[in-house]
Amino acid sequence: MPLLIKNGRVVTATDDYRADVLAEGEVISRIGRSIGPAECPPGTEVIDATGKLVFPGFIDPHVHVHLPFMGTHAKDTWETAGRAALVGGTTTLIEMICPGKTDEPIAALETWLGKARGAAACDFSFHMGVTRFDDLAERQLRQIVERGIRSFKVFLAYKGALGVDDRELYHALRLGAELGVVVTAHCENETLVDERQRELLASGKTGPEFHGPSRPVQVEAEGVRHLMTFAELTGAEVYVVHTSCDEAVVEAVRGIERGVRAHVEVVLPHLLLDHSFTQRPGFEGAKYVMSPPLRDRSQLRRMWSHLRSGTVSTVATDHAPFDFQTQKTLGREAFTKIPNGIPSVQHRVELLYTHGVCEGRIDLRTFVAAASTNAARIFGLRGKGGIAVGGDADLVVFDPDFRGTISAATHQMATDYSAFEGWPVRGRAEVVAVRGAVMVRDGRFIGRPGHGRLVPRG
Ligand code: URP
Ligand code: ZN
Ligand code: ZN
């Protein structure tokens, strides 16, 4: 059904103006100062956006939905994750495909695609995880890129599991450079992590509060420096995921200054949560175990500053949902067995708005750029990330006057806890459309699982 959003304040990464937006047949067909009902096709649904902000659909370029990891599986399905994303205003997710080292890449793509297709209500794409590199993997990676999955993911961490060695890293980056695809990378020096974990456990330091000390900022900075060296020598375009500290950003900037094409991502937990959360009593700290770990408070301020200046291009979540009661507790005896990850796909937009825009840390355009437009540009998501005639009608009517509180009792994610339990939020996605179809109304999901589709990539 055609959709007319009237009287809203349209905010994109570059513009801020009052206009009506008309969507027909999945795309935006007209933007005008005033579009009357007589100018719309019969049956057009009109949404009054007086007093509201109209944003392009938000894009989360780093999530995990299907994730076999650390002896268990992430809790969400594409049905729950897609619904949670949409209720939060995110209309496109890019998921990391994380095959085991012996899995064939094409089989992994089919598995991950099979989970999303028919279940996701939001649109989606993938970063193809390269967890080993040999002739077969290379052949299949080429086919995967031809099928439109135009980005890779490598892990410099997770020794013996998802991590690649330097030979594999070199060849993955060379292939990325040859095929013109961005290589995303988790940057922590895996040997340092491994050795420090052993030392901490041997001295009886087994609780979640020791996860941070096992991977200090130097471990991450060394990982980023390593990636920059390899990118410089291979010519690959790289994207550093979940950068958590100033030391790591500085290494990326040094690479960029030497001519490396590099982008830097921060994830919501590294803007809002500090390491004191992992020190919470009663093993509750396990809820906050993720990698890279939560840092000290001064790092949060520095990451906001990098976001404001544009050094950090994107804000993702690294949504990695594990239950507290049945999954995080796998690490009761040793923090190294706590499944890493913090669920937050639903709350990225409202928390970034509340703590970024409302608290004056970033302006509205930077907010849209970091939460939508830059990811569309870097990863070539066709039709996404803006409000323009001919672009996908992914639209968010956002109510800045809404006041709410986050709770696991009401969230749409499948996990039994929220890392942001009781946190107040200002503003919410009131109406959310994906390619012209209204999926959220009055902040409630009314969409159809399976509406989502694989986004064409340029
Ligand atoms: O702790 C995290 N980040 N868990 C998900 C896997 C990853 O490293 O992205
Ligand atoms: Zn990671
Ligand atoms: Zn991740």
Side-chain angles (χ1 to χ4, degrees):
M1 182 197 293
L3 189 66
L4 176 65
I5 298 177
K6 272 204 78 65
N7 307 319
R9 177 178 164 198
V10 175
V11 183
T12 68
T14 49
D15 296 304
D16 186 342
Y17 57 101
R18 307 231 163 242
D20 297 348
V21 181
L22 179 63
E24 292 173 85
E26 301 202 340
V27 297
I28 295 170
S29 57
R30 215 183 132 191
I31 302 170
R33 186 65 198 88
S34 177
I35 302 174
E39 300 167 80
C40 298
T44 298
E45 179 184 353
V46 180
I47 289 172
D48 181 13
T50 306
K52 311 279 161 68
L53 300 161
V54 181
F55 295 127
F58 292 99
I59 299 166
D60 189 337
H62 181 173
V63 300
H64 304 270
V65 180
H66 172 61
L67 178 64
F69 187 51
M70 297 185 74
T72 184
H73 277 78
K75 191 74 195 306
D76 270 313
T77 60
W78 265 96
E79 201 168 324
T80 57
R83 192 165 57 214
L86 285 167
V87 168
T90 296
T91 51
T92 302
L93 298 177
I94 311 185
E95 188 188 17
M96 303 287 176
I97 297 179
C98 297
K101 272 198 170 297
T102 54
D103 297 342
E104 289 196 12
I106 296 235
L109 170 61
E110 297 303 347
T111 301
W112 262 260
L113 201 51
K115 304 268 178 201
R117 259 198 190 131
C122 63
D123 282 350
F124 54 87
S125 187
F126 300 98
H127 302 300
M128 183 64 217
V130 182
T131 49
R132 74 162 203 276
F133 200 96
D134 53 23
D135 288 347
L136 177 66
E138 178 179 342
R139 266 198 309 280
Q140 295 197 356
L141 287 167
R142 288 177 184 278
Q143 291 168 30
I144 287 166
V145 171
E146 268 171 32
R147 285 173 65 178
I149 310 302
R150 300 194 53 82
S151 45
F152 293 158
K153 169 72 184 283
V154 289
F155 291 90
L156 277 59
Y158 305 131
K159 209 174 170 76
L162 301 169
V164 287
D165 63 25
D166 280 352
R167 190 196 60 79
E168 293 168 317
L169 174 63
Y170 183 74
H171 288 286
L173 289 170
R174 270 183 58 134
L175 185 63
E178 181 198 323
L179 300 178
V181 304
V182 179
V183 181
T184 72
H186 173 138
C187 296
E188 289 179 298
N189 180 299
E190 59 179 5
T191 308
L192 286 173
V193 172
D194 213 39
E195 293 306 318
R196 290 180 69 88
Q197 285 180 337
R198 271 183 230 285
E199 285 166 12
L200 285 159
L201 293 180
S203 60
K205 295 178 171 164
T206 58
E209 67 275 27
F210 296 107
H211 176 72
S214 75
R215 9 186 26 122
V217 292
Q218 295 90 335
V219 165
E220 187 183 343
E222 145 56 28
V224 176
R225 194 170 59 80
H226 203 74
L227 179 75
M228 292 301 140
T229 305
F230 279 58
E232 192 176 4
L233 293 175
T234 55
E237 182 173 355
V238 291
Y239 176 97
V240 187
V241 299
H242 50 40
T243 316
S244 71
C245 57
D246 185 55
E247 288 78 352
V249 176
V250 164
E251 291 298 344
V253 170
R254 286 192 179 132
I256 292 166
E257 284 168 358
R258 297 199 304 273
V260 176
R261 290 174 300 152
H263 312 274
V264 180
E265 170 193 276
V266 66
V267 296
L268 196 65
H270 293 138
L271 288 172
L272 298 178
L273 303 168
D274 67 22
H275 75 105
S276 67
F277 285 85
T278 61
Q279 296 165 342
R280 289 191 163 182
F283 197 63
E284 224 196 297
K287 293 177 179 174
Y288 300 93
V289 166
M290 69 170 293
S291 296
L294 302 181
R295 304 298 187 188
D296 67 57
R297 249 206 123 65
S298 69
Q299 293 287 2
L300 308 189
R301 189 177 38 76
R302 289 194 263 178
M303 293 312 289
W304 278 110
S305 149
H306 288 308
L307 179 61
R308 189 166 44 249
S309 69
T311 307
V312 165
S313 316
T314 53
V315 177
T317 55
D318 192 11
H319 175 72
F322 297 100
D323 263 349
F324 176 61
Q325 293 295 344
T326 58
Q327 296 183 296
K328 290 281 186 180
T329 46
L330 293 169
R332 264 205 191 279
E333 306 304 320
F335 69 85
T336 49
K337 297 207 160 46
I338 299 170
N340 286 200
I342 296 181
S344 55
V345 73
Q346 184 171 339
H347 304 301
R348 181 180 61 121
V349 171
E350 61 199 13
L351 284 173
L352 190 62
Y353 183 81
T354 303
H355 294 273
V357 177
C358 298
E359 292 181 17
R361 291 183 170 115
I362 52 171
D363 62 26
L364 269 177
R365 288 179 220 189
T366 305
F367 165 72
V368 176
S372 176
T373 314
N374 290 346
R377 178 178 48 79
I378 293 166
F379 296 114
L381 301 170
R382 278 201 222 142
K384 307 293 191 192
I387 297 182
V389 172
D392 284 1
D394 293 356
L395 295 162
V396 175
V397 178
F398 191 85
D399 179 3
D401 297 323
F402 179 83
R403 299 289 178 269
T405 307
I406 293 174
S407 175
T410 49
H411 73 196
Q412 300 291 325
M413 302 178 291
T415 47
D416 63 355
Y417 81 97
S418 170
F420 301 99
E421 186 70 38
W423 284 42
V425 286
R426 298 169 67 173
R428 76 163 175 187
E430 190 172 272
V431 176
V432 180
V434 177
R435 286 175 284 107
V438 175
M439 310 303 280
V440 171
R441 201 189 293 281
D442 295 326
R444 286 201 177 75
F445 181 73
I446 55 150
R448 177 177 64 79
H451 173 78
R453 72 167 184 219
L454 186 66
V455 180
R457 308 261 297 260

